[in-house]
Amino acid sequence: MTVFVTGASVGFGAATVRRFARDGARVVAASRRFEKLEALRNELGEGVFPLELDVQDRAAVESAVANLPAPFSAIDVLVNNAGLALGLGSAQEAHMEDWEAMIDTNIKGLVYCTRAILPQMVARKRGHVINLGSIAADFPYPGGNVYGATKAFVRQFSFNLRADVLGTGVRVTDVSPGLSGGTEFSEVRFHGDKARADKVYEGTTPLSAEDVADAIHWVATRPPHVNVNLVQMMPVCQAFAPFAISRSS
Ligand code: NDP
Ligand code: 8X3
């Protein structure tokens, strides 16, 4: 099995590379920080192909996929994991640069990778696209604005992909985790403010990167006739908020 993981340098992506490599899969590990990908290859062996790639760069995505070395070029599983949240400000205050970066990565990057790899899956009549969504796709929260909307795109794109690939044997899954620690997610969201990021997880046992990698691995290893459409997962310490009501008196 050959797996292509975006956002593989840290977090869910690195855990996913480890999970599949442990089973003897060949894994293309793609992200911007090449030294972290090289470290993964050194840790896991020649079955890992480190690929420096910014998924926002459409030409780079197309060229990288077209020029993969032979043992890694026939991709069975694409894990569209590269993504980020930036900021937690309300829509009227948020920075347009943050919004653009989320749209360019979570939506456009995911679309570029999918479009570059899907045709070979359809031609081979097998393959699996696994997209990292989020509970933010389902449940709005203050400051989630564009991040949540990008993940709603991921959900709807995943389900629409299924409609298109019906009859080809290709599978599509949206894996949508909730509060997850042990990754750089909150540090990135708060622009490097580690103290603020750490507070997000204070007093909780969040999902770990390994929990999410397990879910990704599980959906990819079901029998070929089984398509898991959606995995929505939260840690036990997380549940749903009541509706917010603004009262004038
Ligand atoms: P991390 O910040 O730990 O990892 C994000 C990964 O994405 C990094 O490997 C980063 O690598 C990569 N990345 C970011 N931008 C680009 C880019 N332009 N091109 C290529 N790679 C990129 O986050 P998580 O592991 O926590 O999150 C992974 C995914 O899961 C994201 O899509 C996130 O939205 C989603 N998610 C996270 C949750 C959480 O609470 N942690 C919950 C639900 C969903 P590099 O910097 O080297 O490029
Ligand atoms: C990450 C989970 O709740 O921070 O997608 O949006 S949340």
Side-chain angles (χ1 to χ4, degrees), residues 134-136 141 147 177-178 185 189:
S134 167
I135 59 163
Y141 57 85
Y147 178 70
F185 179 81
R189 169 168 249 173

Side-chain angles (χ1 to χ4, degrees), residues 103 106-107 136-137 144-155:
I103 291 166
N106 304 0
I107 296 181
N145 44 65
V146 166
Y147 178 70
T150 65
K151 293 305 185 176
F153 175 93
V154 171
R155 172 73 50 77

Side-chain angles (χ1 to χ4, degrees), residues 116-141:
I117 291 172
L118 191 59
Q120 53 159 285
M121 290 182 173
V122 170
R124 287 199 307 275
K125 293 199 169 298
R126 64 170 232 232
H128 198 156
V129 179
I130 302 176
N131 294 326
L132 264 293
S134 167
I135 59 163
D138 299 289
F139 309 110
Y141 57 85

